[in-house]
Amino acid sequence: MAALLRKRDLLTARDVLGFYYTGETLSADMGDYFILRFGQPRHLAALALLSNLDEADRPILDVACGCGHLDHYLTCRPHPFRVIGVDLNYYHVWLARHWVAPRGHYICCNVADGLPFRPNSMSATIVSDAYHYFPKRAHFNREVERIAPGCIKILTRVGNRAVRPNEGAELSFREYLAELGGANIRTFSECRLVRDYLARRDPFGSEPESESALEGSKWLAFVTNRPTKPIAVPARGALWPHAVGHVGLNPIYAKSVVEGETRLWFKFPRPWYAYENHQMLEYHARLATISATDIQMLQSGSWNSTLGELLDQFVLIGLPDRF
């Protein structure tokens, strides 16, 4: 670790994650989860809801922020937000602060003990891929209402106990509704949010999914206290949320260079990752080729229609500068 710290200014986020998630004590599957998260269904589902948040004069709180993937989007989008991320894992918030989303502010704390903020200090709260792990969720929800009373709360990638495997303290769809309380709740399946994202549709603009469909969905999302005013959905051709940052090659692609061309093929890193993220096959190109000229254009920040098509196919993706 000392050697790593001495040269950290020369390292990328992937270098640091590769160091942390190797060996016998930490799972390499978790390294895949963080390194490849920017193209995962769970990330697109969150972007579908976050991309049209109203601007506010108070920060957004990202609870269980992990390494800051959503904070990267929120702080680097054309109209950026102030973001505070909290997480129990100090290593993750350290990586978020120095590599993934350095414009955010971070606190290492246990949300089960309460949220270390003043009343009415936040404009919105988001929790992605963590809510079903939380102990004392009733206490957590009261804390959110204290620091962001009546403000929008977004919970994504919430596990459904009715669909195995289970991995936390999941509830059923109806039990979550009872736990969250209130009438102003909208629920989505993750698959539906991904489809809405890819079609550039406002998730709130179409008919709600049936309760039977939601009861049978493995991953759910809940939005409470959403404003009722219409949302301006980005037009086709506008900047994709997944393009925010430094556009580069999606790290899920293996590559080789043949006669000046970069040839890419989609490759799941491990069986568990393929099981958890199989929906990626629906929107990632399986094979792609990029010419040396297009690579030079990409590196110089120039753009053309070919690179735009590769962005639509997730061969290219927006990444932090030091990722």
Side-chain angles (χ1 to χ4, degrees):
M1 176 60 79
L4 180 78
L5 290 173
R6 282 195 296 270
K7 61 178 183 179
R8 73 180 188 184
D9 291 340
L10 303 176
L11 299 177
T12 67
R14 277 182 269 180
D15 293 330
V16 181
L17 284 164
F19 170 84
Y20 190 60
Y21 286 108
T22 55
E24 297 180 359
T25 57
L26 293 170
S27 169
D29 288 325
M30 287 298 294
D32 297 335
Y33 167 88
F34 286 116
I35 291 171
L36 303 175
R37 184 173 175 123
F38 286 111
Q40 292 170 3
R42 71 193 76 196
H43 190 69
L44 302 194
L47 291 182
L49 297 172
L50 297 182
S51 58
N52 292 297
L53 279 174
D54 291 330
E55 296 182 39
D57 58 357
R58 289 167 291 157
I60 292 175
L61 179 64
D62 182 6
V63 181
C65 64
C67 296
H69 291 73
L70 293 179
D71 305 325
H72 162 71
Y73 166 72
L74 290 168
T75 58
C76 294
R77 51 178 257 161
H79 300 286
F81 290 98
R82 288 185 296 150
V83 175
I84 297 175
V86 299
D87 199 279
L88 183 61
N89 187 315
Y90 176 79
Y91 192 89
H92 288 165
V93 297
W94 178 70
L95 200 146
R97 174 65 182 84
H98 292 284
W99 278 273
V100 180
R103 297 179 187 178
H105 300 274
Y106 303 94
I107 298 173
C108 183
C109 67
N110 187 347
V111 299
D113 297 331
L115 295 170
F117 305 105
R118 292 179 297 179
N120 200 29
S121 56
M122 301 292 163
S123 66
T125 308
I126 58 176
V127 183
S128 180
D129 206 359
Y131 183 75
H132 55 284
Y133 293 110
F134 286 179
K136 304 180 182 179
R137 289 202 295 254
H139 174 61
F140 169 75
N141 287 320
R142 288 193 298 270
E143 280 287 276
V144 169
E145 185 59 24
R146 178 182 66 81
I147 66 169
C151 297
I152 188 169
K153 177 170 65 178
I154 298 174
L155 310 175
T156 70
R157 189 75 172 187
V158 180
N160 183 356
R161 188 178 65 190
V163 184
R164 295 180 182 274
N166 297 148
E167 54 193 35
E170 291 95 333
L171 299 177
S172 69
F173 161 66
R174 293 183 181 278
E175 288 170 333
Y176 281 125
L177 292 181
E179 179 175 90
L180 293 169
N184 186 16
I185 301 176
R186 181 72 184 270
T187 311
F188 305 88
S189 68
E190 183 173 278
C191 289
R192 165 72 170 275
L193 286 174
V194 172
R195 290 195 298 269
D196 286 342
Y197 178 85
L198 296 171
R200 295 180 180 259
R201 288 194 299 260
D202 172 10
F204 298 93
S206 52
E207 288 297 316
E209 295 170 85
S210 68
E211 290 191 358
S212 61
L214 293 167
E215 288 170 348
S217 296
K218 172 58 181 170
W219 302 110
L220 302 168
F222 299 89
V223 180
T224 66
N225 299 327
R226 174 184 172 267
T228 57
K229 70 178 186 178
I231 285 178
V233 181
R236 187 169 296 278
L239 179 70
W240 280 105
H242 71 266
V244 165
H246 175 76
V247 177
L249 296 177
N250 188 333
I252 201 166
Y253 283 89
K255 65 180 180 179
S256 64
V257 179
V258 180
E259 298 179 351
E261 289 188 332
T262 300
R263 299 181 181 179
L264 303 148
W265 59 98
F266 182 92
K267 184 179 180 181
F268 283 125
R270 303 172 209 277
W272 178 250
Y273 189 94
Y275 169 76
E276 282 232 304
N277 298 284
H278 59 86
Q279 195 180 4
M280 294 175 76
L281 295 173
E282 298 177 12
Y283 53 90
H284 281 74
R286 304 296 180 87
L287 300 169
T289 301
I290 308 180
S291 69
T293 300
D294 287 338
I295 289 288
Q296 291 173 354
M297 290 190 68
L298 185 64
Q299 292 172 342
S300 67
S302 302
W303 204 250
N304 61 22
S305 59
T306 299
L307 296 177
E309 291 173 1
L310 293 172
L311 184 65
D312 292 344
Q313 298 169 351
F314 288 80
V315 176
L316 300 178
I317 198 166
L319 299 167
D321 290 340
R322 298 181 60 199
F323 198 77

